[in-house]
Structures are given as structure tokens and as C-alpha cells.
Amino acid sequence: MISAFNETAAKEFVGHYSDIPEELALRIYTSHLIGRNPDLVLHGGGNTSVKLNQKNIFKENQEILYVKGSGVDLATIEPEGFSGLDLSFLRKLRNLDSLSDDEMENQLELRKVESSSPNPSVEALLHAFLPHKYIDHTHADSVLILTNLKHGRSLIKEALGSKVSVLPYTMSGLPLAKEVVSQYEKNTDVEAIVILNHGIFTFGEDPRTSYERMIEYVNKAESFIKKEMRGKALITPRTDISSFKNMEAAPARVAQTLRGVCAHQASNGNLRRFYAETRNEPDLLNFSLSREAQTLCTSGVLTPDHAIRTKNKMVYIESVPDNDNDLKDVIKQNVESFKKYYHQYFQKQLKNKGIDRKELDPYPRVFLIAGLGLISLGFTRKDARIAADIAEHTIRAKLNAGALGEYIPIIDSHIFDMEYWSLQQRKLHLSSSTPLLQGQVAVITGGGGAIGFGIADRLLATGAVVVLSDIDEPRLQKARSILVEKYSESQVEIIAFDVTNYPSVEKAFDKISRKLGGIDIVIPNAGIAHVARIEDLDPDKLDQVIAVNLKGTFTTIKASIPVFKRQGTGGNIVVISSKNVFDPGVAFGAYSASKAGAHQISKIAALELAELGVRVNMINPDAVFGDEEISSKLWDLIGPDRMKCRGLDCQGLKEYYRNRNLLKASVLAEHVGNAVVFFAGNQTPTTGASLPVDGGIPAAFPR
Ligand SMILES: [Zn+2]
């Protein structure tokens, strides 16, 4: 790895952050350099600090420690991501013999110079006690590879040289901070401190020195490993695992089944589902088919910090049966034995430590599947991605370590202390209330139009991950860019497919499952219209409208059934029907008849899918126009004709429809979205029902 420090870029940074001290701006610059290198830190791991002299409110000089906020990602940290703390006070804490977690948190909170700044890193005291102006800390893979080997201490010494101190693993907080500073005081020539099974600290009086020392020492570890590895094989391929007969379908089947097996009741009684993330780079595939896979999956994390993201062990699945029931059995057995292991680990640690804690859910987060690669789980998509990234790095690092010597797992006691540390669990946001549809994946057809957009917006607001589909890609892109701006990039996916073509729908559902783990909410919404009286209606036009509105609803429902079956966690189909089903209009035969057919097939689906716990309900909107940004494709098409018929302009037409209903309400796409959320949230035990969203049209009352 080479130093990414660039004087020009550093100067630009200082210019960009002209309202903060130059030293802090440079601190942000080198923090980004570290955060953007996944071989150094991953997702909020590691931390950095700078010590500044500043005037307080009385114009007195005060030493302030700016340290990274807990869980803040170094790659994107901004000034607000640092917490400024009264340094001279923090230094006094060194005189204490012990400090409880609550008291440490309290003291750090009290010493903030800005009350709104984030909770400081759990390693804040270490940064405070060391005298250096700049301190950088990472969990570099290569350093961990060496420290986690049988003779880790001597290997690190040999690789990094004499200007490095090596300390045994100590839990972060006051004990580690005191240990590190006294070690430093014994030899003030050292340029770095390595903590076994944890990571490396470097320091300096300027940002470049501290950062480049990090690069220098990590490089030393890397080249030592490279040299030692020469000629050694990473894996021994297995010959006893035959490849799958149906390799094409396997990844989606496994992801859907896995996700279903791991869904469980939360404490509030709701079903808690995971999102899945799949990784299948060639080296991971080879590893999954190696003799080393089983042992390596269960030999533990590289550093205890990772345990809250990945749990300490991964699950290795070495066979993927072609039959769905057999596959479910295999996955169930593996998950059950993991849960048993996790309960035992938890109980044993409580007993050994004589303490009481609330057990986290016992479900695995990372699976390695022979021939398929890695699947990780997370309650949010971000969590699933973090677990996958950490697992990938862990596998690669442990393969290297395994080729170099004996890998020594970190003892359970250390893992437990970190996993059940309140300051660490805070990163999981366990206490914040879970949005209604978090954990669920919704697919909306006709996602490029006004109603599809309105539905997506409401589902996103309630925590679901939404997949918008349409045949019109530019419209899809536009809808996505608006929604990503409002929500997050990881919550919105788009996929173009043609609802009139069943194989195209099947393929899309397979792709969605590979990407997200499965599907829970299906919204057949794609529709087209054609205005013509029966005597003028071209039979081919009728076929086209039926293909999208009726057949398209059928294909979407049909393709979802195998997904629901494999998941075994129920689900919701919410069909966007029409007011016209109950109250058709002249010259609107193709639309009304095809929508009525779709409505009827949805009722049949309600009858047939109830045994899977899948509810099928219909929403009957009327006159949803959309806005200038995302218009209604239906009204783009029929609006001009309707305006001409009634001698109205666009605004006049909207008013006409508003005044036509009992409540004199403008019906908006978000109203349809609210109705979808009502059904998708399982608020009532309802299936086969129709809900009008039309402001009240007596002729269209469902009956
Ligand atoms: Zn650390």
C-alpha cells in the first residue's frame, strides 16, 4: 500500500474547511485517507484524533482533544463527526484505579465542548493519555494476521522492527488507555503500538507523519507476510463435493430459504426479517470448496470489534439439495445448531463473569455455502453489507494466517466483553424503535409512473427496501434519483422487466432475491389504457391492454408464489385495481374489462395463497394525476382526450374529478401509497378485500 498523502489535496482541504482550524481540517483529510482503505479499516472501525489549543468562552487557553465520534465512518467524516473534549480534565482520569462504563460515558459527556457533538470513540481516553498531537488507529488486516498467530508477539516484533511496542489484548476503555501510555513512557522512541488481536496505533506531531507511519508499519507487516507466504498454497481443494445440478437457480433459492429460516419473532411480537447480501468472487468460491472452509468459518473474528457485526462464527453449508424441502432442512439444521452454540456461549460467559445481560438474537450473520460463496444477513441492508465486507476480509486474512502458522482464535471471554459492552452495542441502534416495514422487500411494477412512485415513497418512509420495475428505463432512473435523494441509496433498487412475458418476470424475481434475499410485498401496478368505443376498438389493441393489465397482474402474482413458499414467512400482494372495475366508463372498455379480470384473478389468489399466509388485497383508486415531476402515464395518454370531451384545460379537468367525489378530495398517489402500507403492515386480518381510494364515488362502492 502506498501513502495517499498529497500536499496539493491537503491544501485544498484546508481551503475548503476555512471556518475550522487548519490542524483539524488536515485531521479530516488524513482520516479520509485511512477510512477509504478497506485493508486498514472497515465501516466505522478505527479512530483518529488531534489535540488543539483553543480559547474557551472566557478567552482562556484550553487544550481540546478532537476524537472521532463512536461508530462514525472515517471515510466520510466531517467536522461534526469529531467530539471536542476538555483534555486536561481527561488526563486526570488516568489517576483512577477503575472507571465503570456508565461513569466513563458520563465523564466524557460532561467534558464535551459542544453538547451536540457525537459520543466520543470508546478509545478516547487512550487518545487523551498519549502526548502526541496526532494519533491514528486502525485494525489493519495484515497486522491482525500476524497478531492472531501462535507466536504473534514475536512475529510482529520481527516484522515491524524495534520502534514498535507490543501489548497483550486488553479491553478498550480506561485499562487499555493506562496500559498503552505506561508502555509508551517506558520507551518514548516508539513510533507505533500494536495491541494483539486488536490493531495498531501510530502517532506524530503532524498529520502526515502519523498517517505515513501507519502506512509504513502496515507495509512492513504486508511484506513480511508476502515473503513468508512465498510458495505456500492458501487452500486445499475438496474433491468430494459435487457441483449442483441446477446451479443457475441455486443462489436465489438458498437466499430465500436462508432468509425465511432466520426470520423470527421480535420482542414486540412482530416478525423480524433480515436482508441478505451475496458475494461470490472467484477466490471466495474456491475457498467455499476447500478443506479449510469448515475450520476457518468457526475459528472466530480477527478482532473482537467485529463480533457485533458478524457474530464470532460463520456457518458453513456444504450441500445444497435440489429439492426445496431438503434444502430447508439442511439450512434449518445448521441454523439450529448455531443458535444452540450461541446460547451456550452466552450462558457460559454470564456464569463465568457472574453478571447479567440481555441476550442478543442468536441468529448467524454470515454463511459460507459450498460452490455459491458468501451470504450475510442484516436487519438493515447497510448492516448486511457491513457484515459481508467484514466477512470477506476475515476469510482472506485468515487464509493467509493459516498458511503462515497456527491461527489462534481470540478467547470467548474477550469476544463477549466487546459484544456485550453497552458502548459497543450502541452502534447497533438497538433501542431506537424499528420502522413498521423494516426488513421487508417490496416490488412495484409500473414503478415509473405517478402511482408507483407514490407507493414507493410511502413504503420507503415506513422502512421497506423498494424495487421499482417498469419497461421504461429512463422513467425508472428518474424516479430512483428522486427517491434516493429523499431516502437512501441502499433502500431503492430498480429493475426493468416486461410483465407481459412470464420468463422475464421470473428472471427478475430471481435477480431481486440474489440481491436482497427475497420478496415480501408484491404490488402489481403496471397498467395501460386505450380510449375507444367497442365498435371502434381494434382487437389487437384490446389484446395489448389485456396483456399488461390482466396477464401482467397474473405473471407478477404467479412468479411470487415460489418465493413466498421458500421463505415461509407469509407476505402481501396488493393489487392496484381501479374505480372502473365497479363503475366503468364509456369508450373505456379495454381498460375496464382488463382491470376487472385482474381484480378477479386477485380474488382467486386470495383464496389460493391464504394457506401460505399470503394476503391478497385490492386498491381501487380514481383520478390520480401525479405531478409535474412524475406524471401519471395513464393521464398523459387519456388526459388530452378527456379534456377535449369535456372542454376543459388540465387544471379544469383535475377540478372536475375532484368535484365529482363525495368528499371533494383530490386523490393523490401518496393516498394510494398509504393504503398499500395499511395492507402490507398486516394491521388487520384481511384478505380478498377492495379498498376504494377515490374520495367517495357511490357508483363504485364495492359490493
Ligand atoms: Zn480499535
Side-chain angles (χ1 to χ4, degrees):
M1 115 184 9
I2 52 163
S3 163
F5 197 99
N6 175 301
E7 286 296 347
T8 319
K11 274 202 190 98
E12 275 171 19
F13 238 80
V14 173
H16 179 72
Y17 291 100
S18 54
D19 52 342
I20 60 169
E22 185 176 330
E23 294 112 309
L24 184 56
L26 290 169
R27 174 69 287 176
I28 296 169
Y29 172 62
T30 56
S31 298
H32 286 187
L33 299 184
I34 288 179
R36 286 172 191 169
N37 186 338
D39 292 335
L40 292 176
V41 290
L42 287 169
H43 301 291
N47 40 65
T48 57
S49 69
V50 59
K51 299 180 177 77
L52 299 182
N53 270 306
Q54 290 188 315
K55 294 250 190 274
N56 66 17
I57 200 165
F58 307 110
K59 303 274 180 271
E60 298 157 345
N61 281 327
Q62 196 182 9
E63 271 191 293
I64 309 293
L65 168 75
Y66 283 93
V67 65
K68 190 198 87 162
S70 180
V72 179
D73 197 330
L74 284 175
T76 51
I77 195 165
E78 290 290 324
E80 312 78 69
F82 284 89
S83 190
L85 301 160
D86 175 355
L87 183 56
S88 58
F89 182 87
L90 293 193
R91 284 194 177 122
K92 281 194 224 161
L93 295 174
R94 192 182 166 189
N95 301 322
L96 296 175
D97 290 331
S98 65
L99 187 61
S100 70
D101 294 344
D102 287 347
E103 197 50 56
M104 179 168 89
E105 208 177 355
N106 182 40
Q107 289 303 325
L108 292 174
E109 190 67 28
L110 287 172
R111 303 302 153 184
K112 280 183 182 174
V113 293
E114 194 74 62
S115 61
S116 60
S117 63
N119 296 310
S121 156
V122 294
E123 274 139 10
L125 293 182
L126 194 157
H127 288 263
F129 296 172
L130 282 173
H132 312 84
K133 191 172 175 84
Y134 286 89
I135 299 174
D136 293 20
H137 165 52
T138 73
H139 304 147
D141 290 345
S142 55
V143 171
L144 291 173
I145 290 173
L146 293 176
T147 75
N148 294 9
L149 286 173
K150 192 167 183 189
H151 303 290
R153 173 184 281 272
S154 52
L155 286 173
I156 275 283
K157 283 262 179 201
E158 196 186 332
L160 304 194
S162 59
K163 290 205 161 183
V164 175
S165 277
V166 184
L167 269 80
Y169 180 84
T170 308
M171 171 89 169
S172 297
L174 183 70
L176 178 67
K178 283 172 73 165
E179 197 59 45
V180 166
V181 70
S182 39
Q183 189 70 21
Y184 169 74
E185 282 165 355
K186 276 184 216 156
N187 178 9
T188 54
D189 280 347
V190 297
E191 294 174 347
I193 293 177
V194 169
I195 297 155
L196 298 177
N197 309 131
H198 177 169
I200 174 167
F201 289 82
T202 55
F203 20 79
E205 287 315 300
D206 64 88
R208 184 168 188 163
T209 304
S210 183
Y211 164 73
E212 288 190 337
R213 278 182 180 161
M214 179 62 73
I215 302 299
E216 181 192 337
Y217 284 105
V218 171
N219 272 338
K220 283 186 177 183
E222 273 182 4
S223 19
F224 181 85
I225 293 168
K226 243 188 218 146
K227 203 179 85 212
E228 294 291 309
M229 286 294 296
R230 220 164 280 157
K232 288 180 182 153
L234 287 183
I235 55 160
T236 331
R238 273 176 78 160
T239 47
D240 57 328
I241 304 181
S242 53
S243 60
F244 315 114
K245 284 185 212 123
N246 194 355
M247 194 62 196
E248 275 269 288
R253 284 175 62 229
V254 173
Q256 292 155 358
T257 312
L258 243 175
R259 184 169 174 261
V261 168
C262 290
H264 58 275
Q265 214 86 36
S267 49
N268 61 6
N270 290 340
L271 191 67
R272 211 171 180 201
R273 294 169 170 95
F274 289 100
Y275 294 107
E277 174 85 11
T278 307
R279 301 284 166 91
N280 50 13
E281 282 71 12
D283 65 328
L284 290 175
L285 288 181
N286 287 338
F287 167 60
S288 75
L289 293 166
S290 74
R291 299 215 168 279
E292 288 77 8
Q294 177 68 55
T295 325
L296 217 139
C297 279
T298 51
S299 61
V301 288
L302 290 176
T303 172
D305 191 50
H306 291 166
I308 52 157
R309 300 296 190 181
T310 59
K311 303 260 187 206
N312 193 30
K313 296 183 179 185
M314 308 179 195
V315 172
Y316 179 53
I317 295 179
E318 57 176 30
S319 76
V320 179
D322 284 327
N323 175 294
D324 280 354
N325 287 333
D326 295 344
L327 174 64
K328 191 169 265 183
D329 285 345
V330 166
I331 292 177
K332 254 191 185 154
Q333 275 165 19
N334 278 285
V335 170
E336 282 310 313
S337 57
F338 184 94
K339 282 165 68 183
K340 206 168 142 201
Y341 136 76
Y342 191 83
H343 287 311
Q344 281 169 354
Y345 146 80
F346 178 75
Q347 291 301 337
K348 193 172 162 200
Q349 292 306 316
L350 287 194
K351 207 171 139 211
N352 287 353
K353 292 171 193 289
I355 53 170
D356 198 21
R357 290 282 183 283
K358 187 174 180 290
E359 189 176 352
L360 293 168
D361 77 81
Y363 288 86
R365 292 299 190 272
V366 184
F367 294 81
L368 184 75
I369 297 115
L372 286 191
L374 186 152
I375 297 181
S376 69
L377 300 178
F379 290 130
T380 63
R381 234 187 134 193
K382 194 177 161 204
D383 288 345
R385 284 176 173 176
I386 291 177
D389 286 346
I390 292 177
E392 274 196 53
H393 274 260
T394 303
I395 288 170
R396 293 187 180 117
K398 289 208 295 193
L399 277 176
N400 277 293
L404 286 177
E406 190 185 341
Y407 185 87
I408 307 291
I410 301 162
I411 58 170
D412 281 357
S413 169
H414 291 334
I415 301 289
F416 180 90
D417 287 345
M418 272 306 256
E419 194 181 357
Y420 282 88
W421 195 17
S422 57
L423 304 181
Q424 184 78 348
Q425 286 191 357
R426 204 165 45 192
K427 293 180 191 167
L428 296 177
H429 310 291
L430 293 170
S431 54
S432 54
S433 63
T434 311
L436 181 69
L437 299 177
Q438 184 178 303
Q440 302 209 38
V441 176
V443 180
I444 307 168
T445 68
I451 291 186
F453 182 85
I455 296 169
D457 181 76
R458 292 299 82 206
L459 287 170
L460 288 164
T462 34
V465 166
V466 169
V467 184
L468 286 171
S469 91
D470 208 299
I471 45 164
D472 188 337
E473 283 216 57
R475 283 188 80 119
L476 268 187
Q477 294 286 2
K478 188 178 172 190
R480 179 173 192 269
S481 67
I482 301 169
L483 292 168
V484 162
E485 188 78 13
K486 190 169 171 189
Y487 299 97
S488 76
E489 171 269 327
S490 64
Q491 246 187 303
V492 193
E493 291 286 340
I494 53 173
I495 180 167
F497 64 86
D498 179 0
V499 293
T500 65
N501 177 321
Y502 184 64
S504 156
V505 183
E506 249 190 330
K507 224 162 138 190
F509 279 28
D510 190 86
K511 208 168 159 193
I512 293 165
S513 298
R514 285 172 186 232
K515 210 163 197 177
L516 299 163
I519 299 169
D520 310 287
I521 304 164
V522 176
I523 299 139
N525 165 63
I528 56 169
H530 178 66
V531 184
R533 299 176 73 94
I534 294 171
E535 66 172 322
D536 306 321
L537 178 56
D538 176 349
D540 289 342
K541 277 282 174 199
L542 176 67
D543 279 347
Q544 278 173 24
V545 176
I546 287 175
V548 177
N549 296 2
L550 169 56
K551 192 182 171 196
T553 300
F554 159 77
T555 56
T556 313
I557 294 175
K558 181 175 165 69
S560 70
I561 298 172
V563 184
F564 286 133
K565 274 191 164 168
R566 288 191 198 108
Q567 290 175 164
T569 48
N572 274 284
I573 298 174
V574 188
V575 178
I576 306 308
S577 184
S578 167
K579 163 250 171 200
N580 283 51
V581 168
F582 300 110
D583 181 22
V586 168
F588 224 40
Y591 182 81
S592 301
S594 59
K595 279 288 191 181
H599 196 88
Q600 189 73 345
I601 202 129
S602 306
K603 287 186 186 173
I604 307 295
L607 297 174
E608 293 179 358
L609 302 184
E611 63 184 31
L612 298 177
V614 175
R615 304 148 17 117
V616 187
N617 291 290
M618 289 73 81
I619 295 172
N620 299 65
D622 183 39
V624 179
F625 288 88
D627 53 29
E628 270 152 43
E629 226 169 6
I630 301 282
S631 63
S632 158
K633 280 199 279 186
L634 186 81
W635 285 96
D636 289 349
L637 186 80
I638 63 168
D641 180 75
R642 282 287 185 271
M643 282 183 251
K644 207 170 72 196
C645 275
R646 299 198 162 95
L648 296 165
D649 63 2
C650 177
Q651 201 45 45
L653 192 68
K654 284 184 185 178
E655 276 303 292
Y656 165 80
Y657 279 103
R658 188 174 72 77
N659 281 307
R660 183 169 90 162
N661 67 55
L662 292 170
L663 299 172
K664 311 289 176 222
S666 298
V667 184
L668 307 177
E670 67 179 70
H671 296 142
V672 182
N674 289 336
V676 170
V677 168
F678 167 72
F679 285 126
N682 284 1
Q683 318 253 5
T684 56
T686 305
T687 191
S690 304
L691 178 62
V693 180
D694 58 8
I697 306 220
F701 285 174
R703 65 197 69 135

